Amino acid sequence: MADTNLADQFSAYSEWRKSLVDSICDYRSWLNEQELNDAQIDQRITNLLERLREDKLNVAFVAEFSRGKSELINAIFFAGYGQRLLPSSAGRTTMCPTELLYDPSKPSALQLLPIETRASDATTTEYKRYPDEWTVVEFDVDSNESMVAAFNHVSKTKTVAVEEAEKLDLFDPNSSDDELSLNKDGTIDIPVWRYAVINFPHPLLEQGLVILDTPGLNAIGTEPELTLNMLPNAHAVLFVLAADTGVTKSEIDVWRQYISGTRWKQKGRLAVLNKIDGLWDTLKSEDEVEKEIAKQVKTTGELLDLDASHIFPTSAQKGLQAKVNGEDELLEKSRLPILEKALSDELIPSKKEIVRDNTKNEIEDLINNSKMILDSRVGGVTEQLEELSGLRGKNEDVVEHMMNKVKADKENFEKGLQRFQALRSVFSQQTNKLFTLLGMEALKIKVHTTREAMIAANFTKTMRDAMDGFFEELKDRLVSSDEQINEIKKMMDVMYDKFSKEHGLRKSEPPSFSTLRYQKELAKLERAYKEQFNTAFNMLANEKMTLTTKFFETLASRVVHVFEVANRDVENWLKAVIAPMESQVREHQIQLRRRLESIKRIYKATDTLEDRILELENIEKGVRAQIEDLEILHQHMGNALAFEGEEEEKVA
Ligand SMILES: Nc1nc2c(ncn2[C@@H]2O[C@H](COP(=O)(O)OP(=O)(O)OP(=O)(O)O)[C@@H](O)[C@H]2O)c(=O)[nH]1
Ligand SMILES: [Mg+2]
């Protein structure tokens, strides 16, 4: 398969993730062997592993039609097949957004969503939940012909009456551009499919890469899903321009509105100046050609307000040809390798950083929890040992006295336990209060009422008010959630303090949590909505009501997603707050029972003191060995996390 820099970096990244997964699995098996695992810890490990395994990297290609997006995808990712995999030809070729990915649980096939689904308000993401709405075309991954034939479906069109196209929002009688696309007999050609997902086991896709190929620019405006969801969330967007056409006005508009966006989205946004082979000219010196390219890069940079270092002159066609035929000189001349390097540099290190940070925190937390249990076990055993050693040579009275003391400790602790139960119930009341603010139920109701208001609205102002109110309320909910979260944290701080003073439990500081991240996400969506609402409103003037509802559905589904993530994170946080106390309390209880048990046995002379001391010493050795094991496992995980980071530093 293509041995590109991107492929190498990507495999290194996947290897890194895999070694992390392995080290976490080792930790889990050890917990099981040592009987230190419980359902809650196991669930947390499962979530962590799932997140690592499912981790995806999204790369999107956007351009006016015929700039060479599909050719570029073929050249960067699929040259190893020795031919063009995605259809690429003059004129409009890719007719629907096409996602390339690998999901091993599904057969290698092309899934196609019929264009008629545009008549409903449901977004393509929602349709993904209903496989029977999609047409499936299977193919044989070992046969290039079979794959190429299947992939050709993405360029299928059909001829329909104008009314039909209007119904699907694909034709606007007031647009002169649309007027031009009519056939002589008044019919119009429209795409057969609304969306395509190609599932096949290409090595990079297997490792979690997801490639999005899009049709020419006008499709971008008609699927809000693309502008509100897929493009803002892509880890990299390649905006493809062609050296022979220069930058057009509509390209500048799309770049500004959907891709470069505001400053917060500049990362991973690259422009490609494709088809530089058109500038190669045997009558000009290499120097002259070079100057011509540099000039084009400069103008492009000025027009897009983008630094020249983010603009990549390339020839996708020659790059593909060079890779297929093994022509190294031509490959270099195509400058494709430079683009690939930039893509992987933009993509992988920042992605890795995020994954590393998230994983690191979770691992530290789990390890700390295990460590705390083991430490308190050692503490308990040492205490018992001291107690029993103190009994050497003492008479029955002293033993009895000691037994009474332990009994009193136990009773005292049981009172503490009652307090803990009371705390649990306050904790769950507080939690319920938090979820009435943050929970999905409340959100769904708000989405519903806003939707109704949008549908009933006759004026843009009413619509705008409904939308503003929507964001306003959700913001308030997040802010109030923070107050609730602080309450919970304060209460737990006090409890940890009390338990450590009164029962010698280890004082652990509950982690902090804030909804700021989700507030920021929400603000981003609100910004995107404000930036795009005007465009939607122009359509509305043309009675393109359906587009506005589609727009709202897409926005709402993004907001729902933000809240889903917030809910998941808050649930994890709540567990992290209460879990250490729960396991310590449980552990403490067991130890008190054991202490009492062993003194009782000595008192009744069923055990000799020395036997019991020996036994405890062995237990202590065992627990200390466990602590050492844990240290080693911790180190392994730390190494797995740091491995690539160290390499990066070397390169830098
Ligand atoms: N000379 C030259 N032609 C290219 C290059 N890249 C692509 N082409 C040609 O440009 C035409 C359009 O390429 P596509 O890959 O279909 O372009 P696209 O951006 O995917 O277009 P749509 O799918 O219609 O949106 C094809 O005939 C390609 O062979 C290049 O680097 N140099
Ligand atoms: Mg294409």
Side-chain angles (χ1 to χ4, degrees), residues 64-71 84 88-94 214-216 274-275 277 315-317:
E64 189 54 277
F65 71 92
S66 228
R67 295 296 190 258
K69 295 174 292 281
S70 305
E71 188 79 335
R84 272 192 186 96
S88 155
S89 63
R92 287 178 199 275
T93 310
T94 313
T214 58
N274 192 28
K275 306 198 185 182
D277 53 299
S315 169
Q317 195 189 54

Side-chain angles (χ1 to χ4, degrees), residues 175-285:
S175 146
S176 49
D177 278 354
D178 283 10
E179 204 71 42
L180 282 175
S181 56
L182 287 180
N183 296 324
K184 277 204 191 80
D185 60 357
T187 56
I188 185 167
D189 293 334
I190 61 166
V192 174
W193 310 111
R194 178 179 176 189
Y195 201 88
V197 179
I198 303 180
N199 187 36
F200 80 114
H202 175 278
L204 290 177
L205 304 182
E206 275 177 329
Q207 290 163 22
L209 183 73
V210 178
I211 302 170
L212 180 68
D213 190 7
T214 58
L217 295 184
N218 60 347
I220 288 191
T222 51
E223 280 290 347
E225 187 83 16
L226 286 178
T227 54
L228 284 170
N229 179 8
M230 320 270 307
L231 297 183
N233 288 316
H235 299 96
V237 176
L238 272 71
F239 190 63
V240 187
L241 303 153
D244 55 357
T245 41
V247 186
T248 65
K249 173 153 186 324
S250 60
E251 284 174 329
I252 297 176
D253 288 347
V254 166
W255 168 262
R256 286 204 187 132
Q257 200 175 352
Y258 301 125
I259 300 169
S260 83
T262 14
R263 243 163 280 111
W264 47 268
K265 262 297 172 199
Q266 285 281 350
K267 210 164 166 42
R269 271 48 188 165
L270 310 176
V272 178
L273 192 62
N274 192 28
K275 306 198 185 182
I276 53 162
D277 53 299
L279 303 173
W280 300 348
D281 185 337
T282 43
L283 297 180
K284 283 186 189 157
S285 72

Side-chain angles (χ1 to χ4, degrees), residues 391-623:
L391 293 181
R392 279 185 171 129
K394 297 274 161 62
N395 61 21
E396 239 168 63
D397 278 357
V398 178
V399 178
E400 190 172 347
H401 176 75
M402 184 67 81
M403 191 165 73
N404 290 335
K405 185 181 164 284
V406 177
K407 264 189 193 151
D409 274 1
K410 193 162 170 277
E411 268 157 31
N412 184 25
F413 186 72
E414 250 134 42
K415 271 194 215 116
L417 213 57
Q418 276 167 12
R419 196 178 311 130
F420 178 69
Q421 299 303 355
L423 167 83
R424 280 240 53 152
S425 102
V426 178
F427 184 79
S428 56
Q429 279 165 22
Q430 301 264 38
T431 311
N432 287 343
K433 223 159 135 196
L434 177 59
F435 283 115
T436 47
L437 289 165
L438 198 62
M440 300 311 291
E441 222 26 68
L443 175 67
K444 279 185 186 142
I445 293 170
K446 186 66 198 165
V447 167
H448 179 75
T449 52
T450 311
R451 180 187 295 129
E452 300 281 290
M454 296 282 283
I455 292 171
N458 289 321
F459 302 100
T460 13
K461 177 161 184 326
T462 341
M463 274 196 169
R464 219 182 279 262
D465 288 348
M467 285 300 275
D468 288 349
F470 178 64
F471 280 109
E472 201 55 43
E473 177 170 333
L474 297 185
K475 236 182 290 170
D476 284 350
R477 280 173 184 275
L478 288 177
V479 172
S480 314
S481 297
D482 266 353
E483 285 161 19
Q484 192 58 32
I485 285 167
N486 281 337
E487 289 276 303
I488 296 179
K489 178 155 161 41
K490 251 191 260 156
M491 174 179 87
M492 291 307 292
D493 274 338
V494 171
M495 279 312 275
Y496 272 105
D497 205 38
K498 245 197 164 77
F499 267 76
S500 87
K501 278 201 191 107
E502 291 174 14
H503 306 288
L505 290 198
R506 208 191 232 238
K507 187 164 171 4
S508 89
E509 175 89 1
S512 303
F513 188 84
S514 125
T515 64
L516 190 67
R517 279 168 54 199
Y518 322 107
Q519 291 180 35
K520 285 207 165 133
E521 283 294 318
L522 205 63
K524 248 193 236 175
L525 283 170
E526 188 174 7
R527 244 185 332 244
Y529 136 71
K530 289 208 162 124
E531 273 170 25
Q532 291 178 33
F533 191 77
N534 289 333
T535 336
F537 166 59
N538 288 337
M539 313 262 183
L540 188 74
N542 301 333
E543 287 174 44
K544 283 208 166 184
M545 190 66 190
T546 36
L547 185 62
T548 319
T549 20
K550 261 204 200 97
F551 181 79
F552 175 71
E553 292 312 324
T554 314
L555 200 62
S557 74
R558 292 309 303 156
V559 171
V560 166
H561 179 73
V562 171
F563 270 70
E564 271 166 1
V565 175
N567 272 274
R568 190 199 64 203
D569 292 351
V570 155
E571 271 166 31
N572 282 339
W573 176 75
L574 288 168
K575 273 184 210 149
V577 164
I578 195 94
M581 181 167 288
E582 257 176 357
S583 40
Q584 279 204 78
V585 165
R586 208 183 316 134
E587 191 61 32
H588 200 74
Q589 211 177 2
I590 295 172
Q591 277 169 23
L592 276 170
R593 204 181 311 128
R594 282 202 194 126
R595 263 169 74 194
L596 192 61
E597 202 53 33
S598 75
I599 294 188
K600 259 191 202 156
R601 271 151 66 188
I602 290 160
Y603 181 65
K604 291 185 188 151
T606 34
D607 266 6
T608 71
L609 189 58
E610 293 310 316
D611 282 349
R612 187 61 197 146
I613 288 177
L614 198 65
E615 197 182 320
L616 278 172
E617 276 166 354
N618 282 333
I619 292 175
E620 188 188 356
K621 255 187 233 147
V623 183

